[in-house]
Amino acid sequence: MNGDLQLETSAVQRRQFIKASAMAAATAVASGSGDLLPILADESGGQGVDWDKAPCRFCGTGCHVQVGVQDGKVVAVAGDRNAEVNKGLLCVKGYHVGSALYGKDRLTKPLLRDGDRYREISWDEAIKTIADRIELAPERFAFYGSGQWTIPEGYAAQKFMKGGLSNNHIDPNARLCMASAVTGFLATYGVDEPAGCYDDLDECDVLIMWGNNPAEMHPVLFSRVIDRRSRGQKVTLIDIGTRRTRTTDACQHYLEMKGHGDLAIANGIAHLLIKNGTYNKQFVESFCSFKAPDDENPNLHGKAISFDDYKAFLEPYTPEHVEELSGVPADQIRLLGDLFGNPDLKITSLWCMGMNQHTRGTAINTMVHGVHLLSGHFGRPGDAPTSLTGQPSACGTVREVGTLSHALPGGRVVANEEHRQQSEEYWNVPAGRIDATPGYHTVKMWESFCTPTDQGGDIGTIWVQVTNPGQTLPNLNKLFNPKGDNKAGLEDKFLIVSDVYPTASTRLADLILPSALWVEKNGLVGNSERRTQQWFKMVDPPGDARDDCWQTIAVAHELFNRGTEGMKDRDGRFLFEVKKDGKPVPIWSWQHYYDVNVDEHLFEEYRQFTRLKHKDLAPYSEYVKARGLRWPVVEKEGEWRETHLRFSEGFDPYVAEGKGIQFYHSSTKDDRAQIWFHPWIAPAEVPDDEYPFMLCTGRVLEHWHTGTMTRRVPELSRAMPGGYLEIHADDAAEYNLANGDRVKVESRRGSLEMPVWIDGRGKPPRGTVFVPFFDETVMINDLTLDAVDPFSKQPDYKKSAVRIKKVSA
Amino acid sequence: MIASVVATLDDVDTNIKLQAVLEELRNLPCVELGDIDDAGYRIPMTIDSPAPNALEETTRRIQECHGVAFVDVVFVHFEDMSEDSVKTISGKSVRS
């Protein structure tokens, strides 16, 4: 056999082996057998591929994957059979979670703007440049992060800002996606995050999706429900939405509503429960109180009302009136009322951006919780109101580490003196180090940055890590684009962006820092169901790309060297000192960063906070062994046990014996949850003669978030190449539009051109158009509204008035 | 690229319907079917894709087969993937 033939034979054998392994893996998953993937078990056939676990990099579902590494490169990915979340399955983005690392234009060198060009600089110069900007005006510095920060990355940034610089101007992009869920949980239960978990999807009789499209956004979870139906189980799926989606196709009932119709629908259900006497009187009297907004002093506590007050407020919300307000037929409101009024059913509600990106986001979140509480559909497996998140650690890093401008780790807030003292104690920083005034929330931060200093724009420098505000902020022409306008008077402003690829944000950056991505670094994240997940670094980042956490610590140490008091603890030591064998390790030096496990050190420090609000985390070593654990994780009889269902006796270790249900963080200090009444209110902007269409924005299956990773994957980009306008066929006919025609879409804030897609994947009703936001060449957030919810400060990306005009065929 | 997926069937309540779905799947290019699970509603299959963009297209076609409710990915080997990248306006600006 000659050499060429030998090579060819070997390649064929290898391909056959891979294919056989692929089939065996799928067979094992399809049959539900507990077999290990053969490719993992077969040492001789593995051909040098090393496998390790990691959560998927993309959304907030928290699927676990097995990552195959060969010769320092990720070459294969498999669903993790041992993961409870996904049970070996992945969505179509799983095809590419590994190849997202290998786009040709990875950032590999720090780049400093020099006029209209960039020049490569050393990391040393980059770190000094950031330190210079902070020293110049520490109070004008802001940190903008995300729900893609790992827990240690977010914790380090949080400590650096609030515990080091005494500066609370730190906020994450999660403000734009789930802040209203947070305020909804706080206003209802006095503590954030869902009581239920994904197990409810396996137990419920009815699944209601409120403005949510899990078939495309959380496909593995939706597949889990479809799988039940295929097995012959009866599960009723109900889609409440403003346009038909792939989710609608699988549902028995579709309730098409107008924007803000959800407020009316929730009130309509509550109205029927009371009118028909089908609310759960015993549950309500034992575990709930009633609240309404306090118009004179708006806050999350509102004002207490009686059951009779609540009943009177709901009186006008008859099914017919709800139909007028929401567009949903009265019979369908009655259907929901009957389902919630049936105590024998188990009902799970799911929601995500549709309820959160809403100028009454806090209200609708509390109202959906309220419907569950009023009907007693709470506290049993399958009976739960559960919000989903869009990013891998929106819960872990933003909500639990508290990287919001008003928060501290472990459910603490800066405005509370006791909370500040606790945090100062854990951080070993002098008393009074933490500022009591909340920093700027996202919209205010960017508005200040884009306002000239002499006009009151008091944010001078923003450091962005792990997100892309140049594409995701609303009303970009106000909140981001002025940075690129030479006549905007922003010459003294300085934008730093750490990222893995060039993005719409790096485009206007003054300093660009190349970051490590996913398994190029250690990490921990927290998914939508309170599950904390861990992974180890598996491959090196390209070029000079480095961990975001290292970048923060390196800047902190540069300031420490310069004598900045805030970078010292009470004993004069570096704020991020890590010791090994009793000696400090110079982790600020990249060569030594992995001499110790910095993640573990930061996590163990952070873990102290988690016990303050019954969100207990286990030691780091437990997460190394597990495919994630749902908090509170409490040690009992030598084992660390996770919690499936909060506030419910028999599940939650913090519920006292005999209580049944106990809302132990109740805002009224009486173990009760709050059932809120809020009136229906029209959206902040509604179509009129001038702007006759309602614009809704969102995501698509193929692309995650702003497409900075998934658009680099040629397969995904070919499958969904660019942004488009979805429009109803009758509206298209009225405007003489055919598929592919270009239209100008215009709002009061900006205009854009894009192609039309009629009868595409989603089907909006007449008067509504949809545009996805993944395509940076169709920057739809030039048009969106920056009005925010009064409590969560989250903008509404789902309801902006626009007009359209045909440009060309 | 080589991948494997599991198709979950729905609304396939007779053997005739099931055989029709299997036949339709079997006729898709690059697709090899495994043994349907004992409960008769989950089919493992491999996709041996000659071109990098064929995975999505094949998955879409599987999804569109009558009787297929959902397609989940199980395994993907992308060692031989294309290294083409997508043109972006931000990419251009960094290199300008």
Side-chain angles (χ1 to χ4, degrees):
Chain A
M1 193 181 285
N2 64 36
D4 286 350
L5 188 59
Q6 267 185 335
L7 280 174
E8 197 176 312
T9 305
S10 169
V12 169
Q13 285 174 340
R14 186 162 188 277
R15 198 167 180 83
Q16 285 171 341
F17 169 76
I18 293 167
K19 199 168 166 183
S21 299
M23 180 63 89
T27 303
V29 169
S31 66
S33 78
D35 298 343
L36 284 173
L37 299 178
I39 198 166
L40 305 180
D42 188 334
E43 290 177 12
S44 60
Q47 305 194 0
V49 178
D50 294 320
W51 293 85
D52 203 354
K53 57 139 188 162
C56 176
R57 172 61 179 80
F58 296 127
C59 78
T61 303
C63 297
H64 255 288
V65 298
Q66 284 284 337
V67 183
V69 175
Q70 188 171 32
D71 300 329
K73 191 173 177 183
V74 175
V75 296
V77 164
D80 193 330
R81 186 75 189 84
N82 296 319
E84 288 176 77
V85 170
N86 53 308
K87 305 176 196 299
L89 301 173
L90 300 170
C91 74
V92 67
K93 284 190 284 290
Y95 277 141
H96 308 293
V97 64
S99 48
L101 298 168
Y102 301 114
K104 280 171 76 174
D105 56 345
R106 278 291 297 266
L107 294 166
T108 57
K109 297 278 185 190
L111 301 167
L112 185 65
R113 183 179 286 279
D114 187 356
D116 59 356
R117 302 181 66 82
Y118 287 92
R119 66 179 171 85
E120 289 182 6
I121 60 170
S122 66
W123 268 108
D124 191 44
E125 186 179 350
I127 297 301
K128 284 184 165 58
T129 300
I130 301 173
D132 289 346
R133 288 297 303 187
I134 295 172
E135 266 197 325
L136 186 68
E139 75 286 357
R140 286 166 53 81
F141 176 72
F143 215 144
Y144 187 64
S146 91
Q148 296 161 70
W149 255 339
T150 67
I151 289 169
E153 285 169 353
Y155 180 74
Q158 167 87 308
K159 185 178 177 183
F160 171 69
M161 291 295 286
K162 292 172 183 161
L165 296 177
S166 303
N167 175 338
N168 295 334
H169 294 318
I170 174 172
D171 215 41
N173 69 350
R175 176 77 71 179
L176 309 175
C177 70
M178 44 100 264
S180 294
V182 175
T183 45
F185 281 109
L186 289 172
T188 304
Y189 309 105
V191 63
D192 186 23
E193 296 199 46
C197 62
Y198 298 160
D199 297 12
D200 296 318
L201 300 174
D202 304 329
E203 301 283 341
C204 64
D205 302 303
V206 179
L207 178 64
I208 304 177
M209 288 147 287
W210 298 75
N212 187 207
N213 178 14
E216 291 193 78
M217 306 315 152
H218 301 85
V220 164
L221 297 183
F222 198 63
S223 156
R224 196 161 156 169
V225 181
I226 296 297
D227 180 71
R228 286 184 58 200
R229 208 159 64 180
S230 295
R231 276 188 273 139
Q233 295 184 16
K234 185 172 185 295
V235 53
T236 301
L237 306 183
I238 300 175
D239 178 20
I240 305 175
T242 57
R243 70 191 244 277
R244 298 185 75 96
T245 65
R246 280 190 174 177
T247 298
T248 318
D249 295 340
C251 289
Q252 288 97 327
H253 303 281
Y254 172 52
L255 282 58
E256 189 167 273
M257 65 170 188
K258 296 186 258 187
H260 278 202
D262 43 10
L263 296 164
I265 294 167
N267 277 343
I269 298 168
H271 169 99
L272 287 170
L273 288 170
I274 291 174
K275 184 180 173 229
N276 298 339
T278 50
Y279 73 97
N280 189 325
K281 192 173 180 193
Q282 187 187 3
F283 188 95
V284 170
E285 288 181 353
S286 302
F287 308 122
C288 303
S289 301
F290 292 90
K291 287 282 181 79
D294 183 348
D295 294 333
E296 290 174 8
N297 178 28
N299 60 57
L300 286 182
H301 292 289
K303 62 180 181 188
I305 58 172
S306 67
F307 174 77
D308 287 339
D309 295 333
Y310 179 69
K311 183 180 171 184
F313 283 137
L314 290 170
E315 193 60 38
Y317 291 90
T318 62
E320 286 70 26
H321 184 50
V322 171
E323 177 175 341
E324 285 171 31
L325 296 174
S326 69
V328 174
D331 283 351
Q332 291 185 314
I333 305 301
R334 290 193 182 90
L335 165 79
L336 292 174
D338 289 345
L339 290 171
F340 274 102
N342 184 344
D344 297 328
L345 294 175
K346 288 177 281 182
I347 303 177
T348 291
S349 286
L350 288 183
W351 67 94
C352 199
M353 300 308 147
M355 265 174 46
N356 296 343
Q357 293 178 338
H358 196 303
T359 51
R360 286 291 177 271
T362 303
I364 184 59
N365 270 267
T366 60
M367 291 158 80
V368 171
H369 291 301
V371 165
H372 275 265
L373 294 167
L374 187 67
S375 60
H377 285 290
F378 188 96
R380 295 183 301 171
D383 255 344
T386 296
S387 66
L388 298 173
T389 53
Q391 299 184 84
S393 201
C395 286
T397 305
V398 173
R399 295 160 78 158
E400 292 153 31
V401 174
T403 52
L404 294 148
S405 56
H406 68 284
L408 288 163
R412 316 283 90 188
V413 293
V414 297
N416 183 307
E417 186 177 1
E418 185 190 355
H419 291 182
R420 293 196 303 278
Q421 287 171 352
Q422 287 168 334
S423 302
E424 287 161 354
E425 197 64 35
Y426 286 142
W427 284 340
N428 192 36
V429 296
R433 172 71 68 78
I434 299 171
D435 193 329
T437 307
Y440 287 169
H441 61 80
T442 294
V443 170
K444 197 170 177 189
M445 179 190 290
W446 288 97
E447 187 174 5
S448 176
F449 184 70
C450 287
T451 301
T453 303
D454 60 7
Q455 293 173 30
D458 55 2
I459 295 295
T461 300
I462 298 183
W463 185 359
V464 177
Q465 283 190 346
V466 210
T467 187
N468 187 12
Q471 194 164 338
T472 54
L473 287 167
N475 197 0
L476 285 165
N477 289 327
K478 175 183 171 186
L479 298 179
F480 190 81
N481 296 342
K483 176 70 178 75
D485 180 354
N486 292 334
K487 295 174 186 164
L490 303 176
E491 297 79 8
D492 62 330
K493 308 281 177 142
F494 196 82
L495 179 62
I496 305 158
V497 178
S498 300
D499 214 321
V500 298
Y501 288 112
T503 66
S505 303
T506 60
R507 189 164 47 93
L508 299 187
D510 299 288
L511 177 62
I512 301 170
L513 303 175
S515 291
L517 173 63
W518 193 42
V519 295
E520 293 168 352
K521 59 187 179 184
N522 288 341
L524 289 131
V525 289
N527 80 348
S528 298
E529 60 162 354
R530 298 178 276 107
R531 183 184 294 274
T532 310
Q533 302 162 291
Q534 178 276 346
W535 75 95
F536 286 121
K537 174 180 175 176
M538 300 178 203
V539 296
D540 287 328
D544 284 340
R546 295 180 183 179
D547 299 31
D548 293 279
C549 195
W550 174 83
Q551 295 173 29
T552 303
I553 290 170
V555 170
H557 194 261
E558 175 65 23
L559 290 168
F560 175 80
N561 272 349
R562 296 181 187 194
T564 303
E565 261 326 288
M567 294 303 125
K568 298 173 188 169
D569 69 9
R570 279 178 199 166
D571 306 312
R573 291 190 299 251
F574 179 41
L575 204 58
F576 293 99
E577 183 176 270
V578 175
K579 285 183 177 172
K580 186 178 180 183
D581 302 328
K583 294 178 183 172
V585 180
I587 57 170
W588 54 87
S589 162
W590 178 241
Q591 292 90 327
H592 295 287
Y593 186 65
Y594 277 94
D595 287 356
V596 289
N597 186 340
V598 176
D599 264 27
E600 181 173 8
H601 176 86
L602 291 169
F603 183 79
E604 290 298 341
E605 183 180 297
Y606 159 60
R607 200 162 72 86
Q608 302 170 94
F609 288 90
T610 67
R611 291 189 284 264
L612 296 171
K613 208 150 187 178
H614 303 106
K615 297 185 177 184
D616 313 34
L617 298 178
Y620 181 89
S621 56
E622 293 299 313
Y623 297 99
V624 172
K625 290 184 279 187
R627 302 304 194 262
L629 296 167
R630 288 166 284 197
W631 59 258
V633 188
V634 175
E635 189 176 26
K636 194 173 180 187
E637 296 164 1
E639 279 182 20
W640 290 91
R641 297 185 182 178
E642 62 173 352
T643 300
H644 293 193
L645 199 53
R646 291 169 87 195
F647 311 129
S648 189
E649 188 174 352
F651 294 96
D652 185 336
Y654 288 113
V655 172
E657 195 176 336
K659 288 278 188 181
I661 298 284
Q662 186 181 13
F663 297 108
Y664 45 77
H665 281 295
S666 166
S667 58
T668 42
K669 315 287 183 199
D670 56 1
D671 290 344
R672 288 171 178 268
Q674 315 303 316
I675 296 177
W676 282 77
F677 169 79
H678 286 276
W680 175 87
I681 291 176
E685 191 172 64
V686 292
D688 54 21
D689 291 344
E690 200 178 354
Y691 295 92
F693 286 93
M694 186 69 101
L695 165 71
C696 177
T697 70
R699 293 196 277 140
V700 294
L701 172 65
E702 290 83 357
H703 293 291
W704 190 74
H705 222 241
T706 57
T708 54
M709 291 178 284
T710 49
R711 287 191 78 236
R712 260 101 186 162
V713 178
E715 298 86 337
L716 290 177
S717 202
R718 286 188 197 100
M720 182 56 79
Y724 54 85
L725 179 96
E726 273 179 11
I727 187 168
H728 190 278
D730 293 345
D731 285 330
E734 188 178 323
Y735 282 75
N736 190 28
L737 296 171
N739 262 328
D741 285 355
R742 289 190 72 77
V743 286
K744 183 178 183 184
V745 186
E746 195 173 10
S747 76
R748 291 180 174 86
R749 294 157 293 280
S751 67
L752 274 177
E753 288 185 17
M754 64 193 77
V756 164
W757 194 5
I758 305 161
D759 284 333
R761 182 172 294 170
K763 292 179 178 57
R766 288 209 73 173
T768 295
V769 292
F770 173 84
V771 179
F773 72 94
F774 70 86
D775 184 355
E776 69 175 27
T777 65
V778 180
M779 205 71 93
I780 193 57
N781 283 321
D782 285 353
L783 277 62
T784 49
L785 190 65
D786 58 336
V788 298
D789 175 90
F791 303 108
S792 69
K793 310 300 180 189
Q794 179 167 354
D796 187 334
Y797 293 86
K798 306 292 188 189
K799 300 170 213 82
S800 304
V802 297
R803 61 189 173 204
I804 59 173
K805 185 181 173 186
K806 184 173 179 175
V807 175
S808 63
Chain B
M1 293 175 78
I2 296 172
S4 60
V5 302
V6 171
T8 302
L9 306 182
D10 203 5
D11 197 24
V12 183
D13 51 1
T14 66
N15 191 45
I16 295 172
K17 283 186 184 175
L18 176 62
Q19 292 309 319
V21 174
L22 294 177
E23 187 61 22
E24 193 175 351
L25 290 171
R26 204 171 282 124
N27 289 333
L28 292 173
C30 315
V31 168
E32 192 175 305
L33 267 55
D35 296 330
I36 195 163
D37 72 319
D38 291 343
Y41 70 97
R42 291 178 117 184
I43 307 174
M45 55 185 88
T46 58
I47 307 172
D48 190 347
S49 161
N53 62 337
L55 275 182
E56 261 75 25
E57 175 60 17
T58 306
T59 306
R60 189 182 62 76
R61 292 181 65 179
I62 296 169
Q63 179 81 59
E64 286 174 355
C65 287
H66 180 73
V68 173
F70 223 90
V71 183
D72 291 291
V73 176
V74 174
F75 175 91
V76 56
H77 187 274
F78 48 88
E79 191 179 15
D80 53 357
M81 67 182 182
S82 157
E83 291 213 343
D84 289 345
S85 199
V86 176
K87 294 281 184 289
T88 59
I89 55 169
S90 47
K92 282 180 198 165
S93 74
V94 165
R95 283 161 177 71
S96 62

